[in-house]
Amino acid sequence: MDFKDYQDLSDLFLKRISFAKLKAFSKSLSESYRAGHSTDVSFKENDFVLAYFFTRFPATYAVAKEVLGRLQSEYDQQIQSVLDLGAGLGSFSLAAHSLFGLDVQSYLVEDNREMLSLSKEIFNQLGIIGFWQKESYLTIQNVKPLDIACLGYTLTELSKKEIDQLLERVSDYFIKFLVIVEPGTPKGYQNLMYVRDKLLKKGLNLLMPCPHHLKCPLSGKDWCHFIKRLPRTSLHKQLKGGCLGYEDEKFSYLVFSKTTQSSEKDRVLTYPQKASGLLRFRVCSAAGVAQEKIITKKDKSMYKAAKKLSWGDVLF
């Protein structure tokens, strides 16, 4: 799915709701997210699901494609099947189809009827085949392990007890990789650190973004997160009250594997600083520390390659 596909879908779905109503529902939805409230009840109404499609879905899809794209480029693995847990509108499944091809088998587990209905329509409009199961990913039974299992923006809605319940079974859901994405907020990061500790104790290999299995070196007001910039439609700008043609979505994530080992390459933690004749990177290293690395023009080939790197990339 590309930006034009999203615009075409927007034109189709906009016919079902007035702009005034859409703006009111979008505002209510945004306020709920900012307050950290669960939106499960809201999503029982179709208008709230439409508001989600217009305001949040572009960012969740862009982040899903960014994370799966990094996994593809850094570990060169072909994905043939995806389990999308708490799928919502199917961001991870759609991203997998975009990256790995239309032959990817996608299984979407979602217990919200309105979300499930609209996701089916999105897939149909795009000519993509998917398989849906209306059930909670916390109680789903008899899951056939697939290449990759994805949990996107779900942990913030769960209690610690529910997270523990999920983690007890999650390793049964995938063959190659487990991808977990949360908002790039302190709360989202803390939830991931809890999951990180639990899954490392279960013996899973942590591949990304951490280049090590040691304690995260960041703390306090410094937390591990990344940014994905995505284009906005004119409608999106109106609903969000923005004037820029893009938005920056902050996200945090973890990728685990049962068999693949980490590349242990330094991860760039923020935008590189550029000065005359040098590039300064803040990285998380395989030694488990956050440190600064400087590359100068004296090493021409390395400097040329480093100029292309940005926040979230691996440093060679």
Side-chain angles (χ1 to χ4, degrees):
M1 186 178 76
D2 58 23
F3 189 60
K4 185 181 183 304
D5 291 327
Y6 177 74
Q7 288 179 309
D8 290 342
L9 288 169
S10 296
D11 291 341
L12 175 66
F13 297 151
L14 189 57
K15 297 175 183 178
R16 303 175 185 178
I17 185 172
S18 70
F19 177 77
K21 198 173 184 180
L22 177 59
K23 190 167 185 178
F25 276 88
S26 297
K27 180 181 178 181
S28 177
L29 185 61
S30 296
E31 290 172 349
S32 181
Y33 273 113
R34 284 196 295 270
H37 298 155
S38 173
T39 53
D40 289 348
V41 176
S42 300
F43 287 149
K44 290 179 181 178
E45 296 186 42
N46 184 58
D47 288 340
F48 265 109
V49 177
L50 284 174
Y52 177 87
F53 171 82
F54 285 109
T55 58
R56 284 295 300 152
F57 175 74
T60 61
Y61 172 75
V63 168
K65 191 171 180 179
E66 175 74 10
V67 173
L68 293 183
R70 288 188 179 278
L71 175 60
Q72 179 189 41
S73 64
E74 292 180 28
Y75 287 92
D76 191 25
Q77 292 278 340
Q78 180 62 33
I79 300 300
Q80 296 179 321
S81 56
V82 178
L83 179 63
D84 201 341
L85 297 163
L89 296 183
S91 296
F92 277 93
S93 296
L94 291 168
H97 282 288
S98 179
L99 290 165
F100 304 111
L102 293 178
D103 291 336
V104 171
Q105 291 184 323
S106 55
Y107 295 82
L108 299 89
V109 178
E110 174 56 55
D111 64 348
N112 183 282
R113 189 179 304 277
E114 298 297 338
M115 279 283 191
L116 190 148
S117 177
L118 190 59
S119 69
K120 285 184 176 180
E121 186 169 0
I122 290 171
F123 273 62
N124 288 336
Q125 289 293 332
L126 296 174
I128 298 173
I129 296 174
F131 302 91
W132 283 263
Q133 186 163 339
K134 187 183 179 304
E135 190 171 351
S136 169
Y137 56 90
L138 291 175
T139 58
I140 187 171
Q141 300 289 330
N142 303 318
V143 178
K144 177 184 177 182
L146 303 179
D147 285 345
I148 184 169
C150 302
L151 281 162
Y153 299 92
T154 57
L155 300 181
T156 53
E157 300 175 355
L158 305 180
S159 65
K160 281 291 192 295
K161 182 179 179 181
E162 288 173 324
I163 292 176
D164 289 341
Q165 177 186 344
L166 176 63
L167 297 182
E168 278 299 309
R169 303 172 57 198
V170 74
S171 60
D172 297 329
Y173 295 159
F174 67 96
I175 297 171
K176 294 181 179 180
F177 302 108
L178 169 66
V179 175
I180 308 174
V181 175
E182 284 294 299
T185 61
K187 182 180 179 181
Y189 164 75
Q190 289 299 331
N191 282 335
L192 286 179
M193 290 303 97
Y194 181 80
V195 169
R196 182 182 188 272
D197 181 59
K198 292 281 187 178
L199 293 183
L200 286 176
K201 288 179 179 177
K202 286 174 69 69
L204 297 183
N205 301 321
L206 177 57
L207 304 187
M208 300 167 62
C210 318
H212 58 82
H213 287 187
L214 303 171
K215 183 179 179 181
C216 178
L218 306 183
S219 62
K221 294 182 179 180
D222 195 8
W223 71 95
C224 186
H225 66 284
F226 306 90
I227 289 180
K228 175 61 181 178
R229 176 163 289 184
L230 61 141
R232 278 176 165 170
T233 63
S234 58
L235 175 61
H236 193 268
K237 287 191 289 184
Q238 293 177 61
L239 294 175
K240 287 290 192 76
C243 59
L244 298 176
Y246 64 86
E247 71 170 320
D248 290 330
E249 174 73 7
K250 293 181 179 179
F251 67 97
S252 297
Y253 75 103
L254 296 171
V255 178
F256 289 90
S257 176
K258 293 176 182 176
T259 55
T260 304
Q261 298 296 319
S262 170
S263 64
E264 298 188 345
K265 294 180 179 180
D266 295 348
R267 180 80 54 184
V268 180
L269 292 177
T270 188
Y271 290 120
Q273 295 181 349
K274 300 178 181 180
S276 180
L278 64 84
L279 298 168
R280 183 178 286 108
F281 295 91
R282 185 164 185 259
V283 302
C284 184
S285 73
V289 296
Q291 63 189 73
E292 184 180 273
K293 290 198 172 182
I294 296 175
I295 298 175
T296 69
K297 276 187 175 180
K298 291 181 180 179
D299 190 329
K300 293 183 179 179
S301 60
M302 185 174 288
Y303 183 81
K304 182 178 180 181
K307 286 176 68 176
K308 300 177 182 178
L309 298 180
S310 188
W311 190 346
D313 291 336
V314 290
L315 190 64
F316 310 122

